[in-house]
Amino acid sequence: MTLTIAKKEAAETLRDGRFWWTTAIVLMLLVGALATGWLHTERLEAQHAEAASAERTVWTGQGEKNPHSAAHFGTYAFKPVTPLLAVDRGLTAYTGVALFMEGHAIQDARYRPAEDASAAARLGELTAAAVLQWLVPLLIVLLTFGAFAGERERGTLRPLLSLGVSRQALAAGKALGAAAPLALVLVPAAVLGALAMAVAAPPEAAAWSAPRVALLALVYLAYFAVFVGVSLLVSALARTPRTALLVLLGFWFVNGFIAPRLAADMAERVHPGLTNEAFAEGVAEVGELSWADLLDRVTEQLLAEEGVSTVDSLSVNIMAVRLYEGERIETAGYRALFERLADGFEGQGRVAQAGAVVAPLLAVAPLSTALTGTDYRHHRHFTEAAETYRYTYVQMLNQDLIDNAKPGGTWDRDYAVGEELWAAIPAFDYDLPSAGWALGGHATALGLLGLWLLGLAVAVPVAVARMPLDPR
Amino acid sequence: MSPLFTVARIEARLLWADRTALWALLVFLAATAYALASGLGMRADKVESVEALVTTDAERWTEWQAEADSIEQAMQAEGVALDTYEWGVRSPYTVGMFYGRDVAVPPPPLSALAMGQADLYPAAHRIVAASTVSVGSSDALTSPLRLAAGAFDLAFVLLYLLPLLALALGYDLTASERERGTLRLVLAQPLSRRTLVAGKLLARGGLLALLVVAATTAGFVLAGGDVARWALWTAATLSYGLFWLALAALVDARGKSAASNAVVLAVCWLGLAVVFPAIVTLLASQVHPVPTRAAFVAAARTAEGEVLQRGDEPLALFLADHPEMAEAVEGGGGGETYAMTRIARDALVAEAVGPVVAQFAEQRADQVGFVRTVGALSPTVLAHAAFLDLAGTGDAQQREALAAVTAYQRAWQDYVEPLTFAARPFRAAAYAEAPTFAPPPDPTADAVRRASGPLAGLGLAALLLLGFVAVFQRRPGAPRPPPTCPLVSRK
């Protein structure tokens, strides 16, 4: 019985010309967004790769100088471009692309792409995610708002149920009948898109993307299921099809356009991050490290260790050891500060996700950005990997000083080293994290999405069981 | 009373009883109140932060000046020549290249109403000599999640909720009456179709106008703006609201059901307010692609690497270009030569990177220009541009602020350079005469000039649509008979 109803509903939809041209537009926009996104991704990747190799050439071609000067000349790490950037831009426009790594300092990534775009870009970008999060739900609403309300007004609901169709079968049939035409259109498109990417992308990128794309498909499927459920629920309970349509349009509008901004605003209120002053204070605190005191400590310690009484009899250069120690202490301080900052941002994100109780998009959008590798956690993963590299390479330089500089208590002005050392320091190599890791920080979002599905699975049958059969 | 005003009066009373309109109204008012509170709070935080920074910098400056003074007095007492100095508050190297100044561009008062681009760019900059290339690189602490979501300010409410209100008020202009059959009865009176529609639009437009004026006036009074900007902002908003109301009337004039109107209007809104601006941005980035910053960084670093290879040559070249400094240079090792070398190298790097920066700026200007011209086809883009220009938080103002900071960096470097090269101490008098940063003003005349384009576009769009509404009016037609065979009727 369910299948018969589903087939009838689907056939009716597929016969409707309006369905075809609206889906044609949606598909065109989707393909356009993916194609341009793909071109953009390729261009970015090429430029980042070029910049990284130019940076390596500059680093190894530094010439002869003191290793610590090289630590201040520093080196750049360029944020890798995620292969799924074409699907969802996420936060990539608002996080820096180049991270400068030098001794005695930890910095934030520089040059956010949004700063180089026009103000109108803040109004929204055309990505596959935008189409899937805004356009397809509208399509679902338009296809299903009259599922029960329309039949009720036309007077066909009571006769239908009097034929012996159970209410639940009717509900299931309507749901399936609404989903089927959409699936008919979206599934081949998704499969084609995945195949295109598998062919066009390099093998590692394709391997990295495959599980994420699969999970993305599931997330969006759940999102569409939620919308089908809400539409059927409202349609069952509404007085007239017009009321159902207005309520659903209102829900779609608030869900898509008001809730994200409101949630972000309230999250910042509830969970304010580090203020500029607090951050500056933190930086000043780390900078308070007294290099003179450190020198005394290091001198004392070394004299004790080596059992000598004068600085000149030491076997290492004190200044080099002090640099090593100072770097260790300052790095610990700065890392703690940046961790506080990043934790604050992640906390805000989790609070905003809690708003998914009212608007399912607040769960789906973060999951989408997480799975495409464009959320804040991925940015943090990159900056933390870069920070580890920074500490390693700076201490390698300092260690070289300790090993080779003239022992004693004064700075070895004449010690210089060349390409052998620069080339010995490996280039920054970064691997994008796995899909499992990506979902890690989004338990709230997953949970709430699941709750929506569960709630609707319960509410829709109840609503259909109790819905009035006659128009008021 | 003329039939037009009679109709308007009756419609106003009917509106009062309409639940959809009431709901949309309440949501709009609540959102406006929240937006004003949120925007004012955000600006207050930023202003506090900027003021704290400026105060700290001024205090530090005075402290250093006092320290320099006391050191000089001590030197005088001991009979040491004042020409000598050590690393610290009397060294131009230290003060010019290590201490530097902190400058901040405060957010304009109306940024409380339209945050625009002001949350994206750093308000504060550390200005030091010999770092011309990195001024403007961001190190801000705003949450990227908040930036991506956007600010919930009055501009947002007016851009997104006002159309919702206008469409909610206008989607059912005559549709239900036509369905119920009462439209024919009304038109049986000595009343033309056009007058009826005009009267309905007048009532709804009047309500909309009242709300808009109330919202903008409240915003301007709370945020503190001048009358000219208020007038233009209100005019832009009224045109914007009128556009959507006219669009609703136009869709209603097709003669279909109210539900059908709602569907068409939802699609129109999505197309004009969301999809079209996004497509324009996309096209702009394809037609005028801006090279990524990675390319810029690569160019700057390659230039830096090359300059470093040249050893002492940059300094020699610099002195050849600036003979007035060559006379005063005292050769020999020490911090001064290093400082001079750094300045010389920075000048060379800036010169090498100059063409890249210029190309960058050119492409970016082209992109922004493209968006402004092609985007003019969407009223949302126009209204957005108008709000940002009037509030002082648009593209142009941000570029000006950055230019002012860059100019100050130049002035600072010009002040410190001669002292560094002549190895003259940074005396207490030098502290007093050092250039200070003045944030660029945002004169109302400029804001008005920039916003006049979008405003004209909005007015034109609204008038055009009203014209279409006046011309295109379907006869009410017989109401559709109730369906007799349920299995035949369509949804």
Side-chain angles (χ1 to χ4, degrees):
Chain A
M1 188 44 61
T2 310
L3 279 174
T4 322
I5 297 171
K7 267 192 240 164
K8 174 247 176 195
E9 288 293 320
E12 230 177 62
T13 310
L14 290 172
R15 257 185 242 135
D16 193 346
R18 294 172 304 182
F19 170 76
W20 287 110
W21 63 256
T22 40
T23 37
I25 292 178
V26 169
L27 273 179
M28 235 168 50
L29 288 171
L30 198 59
V31 168
L34 282 171
T36 44
W38 180 248
L39 289 171
H40 177 70
T41 311
E42 299 241 281
R43 197 167 61 92
L44 266 179
E45 252 171 31
Q47 288 189 2
H48 279 223
E50 212 180 290
S53 86
E55 181 61 32
R56 184 70 186 166
T57 314
V58 167
W59 171 258
T60 46
Q62 276 182 78
E64 306 253 327
K65 57 163 79 155
N66 188 294
H68 198 66
S69 303
H72 280 292
F73 180 68
T75 190
Y76 270 94
F78 294 100
K79 197 158 83 171
V81 181
T82 145
L84 292 174
L85 190 67
V87 174
D88 194 344
R89 294 281 170 95
L91 297 176
T92 51
Y94 301 96
T95 48
V97 299
L99 189 58
F100 187 55
M101 306 180 286
E102 66 166 341
H104 308 312
I106 299 185
Q107 295 190 8
D108 207 8
R110 293 181 189 172
Y111 306 122
R112 297 184 286 205
E115 292 167 0
D116 297 324
S118 65
R122 303 287 294 276
L123 289 175
E125 291 179 304
L126 188 68
T127 57
V131 174
L132 293 173
Q133 287 169 10
W134 290 333
L135 270 69
V136 174
L138 181 63
L139 199 60
I140 293 176
V141 163
L142 298 182
L143 287 176
T144 52
F145 77 91
F148 295 113
E151 295 236 11
R152 188 183 307 130
E153 196 172 71
R154 283 196 302 274
T156 55
L157 197 56
R158 186 173 280 281
L160 192 59
L161 289 171
S162 74
L163 287 173
V165 177
S166 82
R167 292 196 182 212
Q168 304 316 317
L170 183 61
K174 291 276 184 184
L176 218 63
L182 273 175
L184 204 68
V185 171
L186 286 176
V187 167
V191 168
L192 278 173
L195 280 173
M197 185 181 24
V199 165
E204 325 89 57
W208 180 85
S209 310
R212 283 169 179 256
V213 169
L215 287 167
L216 258 178
L218 284 176
V219 167
Y220 278 113
L221 214 74
Y223 184 53
F224 298 153
V226 165
F227 258 90
V228 169
V230 171
S231 279
L232 290 178
L233 183 69
V234 172
S235 189
L237 298 175
R239 267 199 205 187
T240 59
R242 174 144 70 111
T243 318
L245 177 66
L246 292 176
V247 169
L248 285 170
L249 282 179
F251 174 73
W252 167 80
F253 180 77
V254 169
N255 174 60
F257 302 95
I258 310 294
R261 223 175 258 237
L262 195 60
D265 200 71
M266 294 188 116
E268 207 181 19
R269 246 158 252 294
V270 167
H271 204 289
L274 277 185
T275 60
N276 283 353
E277 289 80 58
F279 189 79
E281 254 173 54
V283 170
E285 235 177 79
V286 178
E288 264 167 24
L289 166 72
S290 165
W291 287 86
D293 285 347
L294 184 60
L295 182 65
D296 292 337
R297 269 212 315 274
V298 163
T299 315
E300 233 179 85
Q301 197 182 344
L302 281 174
L303 287 174
E305 269 176 24
E306 299 203 2
V308 292
S309 52
T310 59
V311 160
D312 293 317
S313 343
L314 285 173
S315 66
V316 284
N317 186 306
I318 283 199
M319 296 297 185
V321 177
R322 183 177 75 160
L323 272 178
Y324 194 96
E325 275 302 296
E327 185 68 45
R328 196 179 57 80
I329 296 172
E330 279 191 332
T331 298
Y334 281 130
R335 278 188 187 175
L337 183 64
F338 273 86
E339 228 176 86
R340 271 173 64 198
L341 184 66
D343 284 341
F345 292 159
E346 282 195 30
Q348 266 177 32
R350 277 194 295 273
V351 171
Q353 279 171 40
V357 172
V358 178
L361 185 62
L362 292 177
V364 169
L367 284 170
S368 179
T369 55
L371 287 169
T372 51
T374 54
D375 68 341
Y376 182 71
R377 277 185 83 229
H378 281 79
H379 175 75
R380 184 178 183 176
H381 190 262
F382 162 71
T383 52
E384 285 180 352
E387 166 49 32
T388 311
Y389 174 79
R390 184 200 71 89
Y391 184 71
T392 311
Y393 100 78
V394 169
Q395 294 296 52
M396 276 175 79
L397 293 171
N398 288 337
Q399 188 61 46
D400 182 84
L401 261 178
I402 293 177
D403 292 337
N404 301 321
K406 204 172 56 189
T410 52
W411 182 251
D412 187 353
R413 276 168 171 252
D414 304 313
Y415 180 59
V417 84
E419 201 177 323
E420 330 79 69
L421 182 59
W422 316 141
I425 292 178
F428 176 58
D429 190 28
Y430 175 70
D431 286 322
L432 290 167
S434 70
W437 180 91
L439 284 180
H442 294 272
T444 322
L446 281 169
L448 285 171
L449 193 59
L451 222 69
W452 265 98
L453 286 172
L454 221 70
L456 284 170
V458 167
V460 170
V462 167
V464 171
R466 296 189 185 194
M467 70 180 171
L469 297 177
D470 302 304
R472 303 281 179 89
Chain B
M1 195 189 282
S2 86
L4 177 68
F5 287 110
T6 318
V7 172
R9 204 161 40 88
I10 297 171
E11 278 299 311
R13 240 183 264 148
L14 286 173
L15 265 180
W16 204 235
D18 183 359
R19 268 171 56 192
T20 318
L22 213 65
W23 268 110
L25 208 121
L26 282 173
V27 168
F28 182 79
L29 285 174
T32 309
Y34 182 85
L36 286 175
S38 169
L40 288 164
M42 268 196 295
R43 180 169 180 268
D45 287 340
K46 276 186 187 303
V47 166
E48 205 183 296
S49 175
V50 165
E51 280 176 2
L53 184 107
V54 169
T55 315
T56 315
D57 180 70
E59 276 172 8
R60 253 200 331 240
W61 194 247
T62 325
E63 238 178 73
W64 291 332
Q65 185 177 16
E67 207 184 312
D69 213 20
S70 69
I71 292 178
E72 281 185 0
Q73 281 174 7
M75 285 167 85
Q76 269 180 330
E78 289 171 20
V80 179
L82 287 177
D83 283 344
T84 57
Y85 59 85
E86 302 177 321
W87 176 267
V89 292
R90 290 185 77 240
S91 159
Y93 179 21
T94 317
V95 176
M97 285 197 236
F98 268 72
Y99 289 174
R101 299 298 300 264
D102 281 331
V103 303
V105 180
L110 292 178
S111 65
L113 303 183
M115 187 51 74
Q117 301 290 68
D119 56 0
L120 193 57
Y121 297 90
H125 302 263
R126 166 61 64 92
I127 302 296
V128 289
S131 76
T132 38
V133 175
S134 55
V135 171
S137 62
S138 71
D139 234 22
L141 300 178
T142 326
S143 152
L145 299 112
R146 235 284 283 118
L147 285 175
F152 200 103
D153 48 22
L154 185 67
F156 168 72
V157 171
L158 295 177
L159 279 175
Y160 287 87
L161 285 175
L162 187 65
L164 179 76
L165 183 65
L167 295 178
L169 285 175
Y171 85 102
D172 189 14
L173 212 59
T174 57
S176 304
E177 287 193 6
R178 188 179 307 120
E179 277 175 28
R180 284 197 298 267
T182 56
L183 189 63
R184 306 200 111 211
L185 292 174
V186 173
L187 285 177
Q189 300 181 45
L191 183 69
S192 76
R193 248 178 304 131
R194 209 159 279 155
T195 317
L196 178 66
V197 169
K200 284 173 178 274
L201 282 179
L202 190 63
R204 288 162 171 77
L207 176 61
L208 215 63
L210 206 71
L211 286 172
V212 164
V213 171
T216 55
T217 315
F220 268 73
V221 162
L222 289 170
D226 54 85
V227 179
R229 289 183 205 238
W230 170 86
L232 262 74
W233 183 295
T234 313
T237 320
L238 286 174
S239 308
Y240 186 61
L242 196 62
F243 173 88
W244 293 104
L245 193 62
L247 183 68
L250 197 62
V251 167
D252 177 76
R254 296 175 313 149
K256 301 274 178 68
S257 72
S260 164
N261 289 352
V263 168
V264 173
L265 286 171
V267 173
C268 283
W269 176 84
L270 190 65
L272 279 173
V274 177
V275 175
F276 184 74
I279 291 182
V280 170
T281 312
L282 196 70
L283 279 176
S285 65
Q286 299 295 320
V287 172
H288 296 287
V290 177
T292 68
R293 284 288 182 164
F296 170 75
V297 169
R301 291 287 282 180
T302 313
E304 222 180 301
E306 280 171 7
V307 164
L308 271 178
Q309 300 284 18
R310 290 152 75 173
D312 291 325
E313 192 199 323
L315 182 57
L317 276 175
F318 187 88
L319 291 176
D321 289 334
H322 301 262
E324 72 278 7
M325 306 221 194
E327 298 164 0
V329 164
E330 306 177 359
E336 296 80 44
T337 317
Y338 181 64
M340 295 177 215
T341 316
R342 263 184 68 176
I343 290 178
R345 285 186 185 146
D346 176 74
L348 278 177
V349 171
E351 202 185 302
V353 168
V356 178
V357 173
Q359 193 214 14
F360 208 89
E362 204 184 297
Q363 285 288 85
R364 201 190 165 278
D366 283 342
Q367 201 181 88
V368 171
F370 182 93
V371 170
R372 254 188 115 94
T373 27
V374 179
L377 291 170
S378 159
T380 307
V381 173
L382 286 173
H384 183 243
F387 291 155
L388 260 55
D389 286 334
L390 288 169
T393 54
D395 279 328
Q397 289 95 341
Q398 294 303 321
R399 295 288 124 195
E400 269 172 24
L402 194 61
V405 171
T406 314
Y408 179 71
Q409 199 278 338
R410 189 69 255 165
W412 177 258
Q413 186 148 327
D414 287 342
Y415 187 70
V416 168
E417 248 173 40
L419 290 174
T420 311
F421 277 78
R424 281 212 304 275
F426 212 84
R427 311 207 44 190
Y431 276 92
E433 286 162 21
T436 48
F437 177 71
D442 182 26
T444 307
D446 280 349
V448 164
R449 184 179 44 85
R450 281 194 202 106
S452 54
L455 180 59
L458 279 170
L460 197 71
L463 284 174
L464 208 68
L465 275 192
L466 278 176
F468 283 144
V469 170
V471 164
F472 180 61
Q473 288 292 331
R474 277 255 182 94
R475 304 201 69 83
R480 283 187 302 173
T484 46
C485 183
L487 296 171
V488 167
S489 70
R490 305 188 62 169
K491 255 195 258 209

